[in-house]
Each structure stands twice: as structure tokens, then as C-alpha cells.
Amino acid sequence: MRDENCIFCKIIAGEIPSRTIYEDDEFKVILDVNPASKGHALILPKEHSANIYEISEESLAKAMKLAKKLAGHMTEVLNVTG
């Protein structure tokens, strides 16, 4: 499902440019346009949800596993490019 008024759906569809650092069938991970810190990234589920309460438990669990995996890689990249 997609919401035509959702900025994240537009980013996932490629209508709004982004710096993608990871993508699979369920998620797209992008660098934040206005980062709070170096390496600040957003994990975007490809299935639209109006809020966190609408996301399935399974999808949330997968997002957390992905966050943990990417955090390790981001730490490596940031330490090298520092």
C-alpha cells in the first residue's frame, strides 16, 4: 500500500531523491537530510503505515535486526572516514 501524501512513500518510489545506503524487498535505508549526528540514517519500511502502531510486530523486529546490523557497519565506515 502507498499513500500519495506520504513523504517516505515518495522517497521509496524515487520521486524524492535520497542517499540510499541499503535496500531490500522490505526496507530502504537512507541518510537523513538534516542529521542529528554523523551517520544518522532512517530505516523506511516499504509497506506504508501512518504511525509505528500500524507496523506489524514482525516488520518491527526485522527493522531492529537491520538497525543492529547497519549500526556495526556505520561505526566501521565512520571510524575509517572519520
Side-chain angles (χ1 to χ4, degrees):
M1 183 175 106
R2 179 170 180 216
D3 181 337
E4 295 297 323
N5 296 316
C6 174
I7 189 169
F8 300 114
C9 288
K10 291 178 181 181
I11 291 169
I12 290 167
E15 296 170 16
I16 296 175
S18 64
R19 292 186 57 199
T20 301
I21 59 172
Y22 176 86
E23 186 167 10
D24 64 20
D25 293 340
E26 296 181 70
F27 301 99
K28 183 172 191 165
V29 182
I30 63 170
L31 291 177
D32 195 293
V33 172
N34 297 306
S37 63
K38 195 176 198 181
H40 182 177
L42 303 174
I43 298 175
L44 307 177
K46 290 187 175 179
E47 180 69 28
H48 174 80
S49 298
N51 57 54
I52 195 168
Y53 303 109
E54 291 184 2
I55 301 172
S56 72
E57 294 290 326
E58 179 183 356
S59 187
L60 285 173
K62 288 179 181 178
M64 289 305 296
K65 288 179 183 179
L66 179 57
K68 183 177 179 180
K69 175 182 171 181
L70 292 175
H73 292 294
M74 291 299 286
T75 300
E76 292 171 17
V77 170
L78 292 173
N79 285 338
V80 170
T81 62

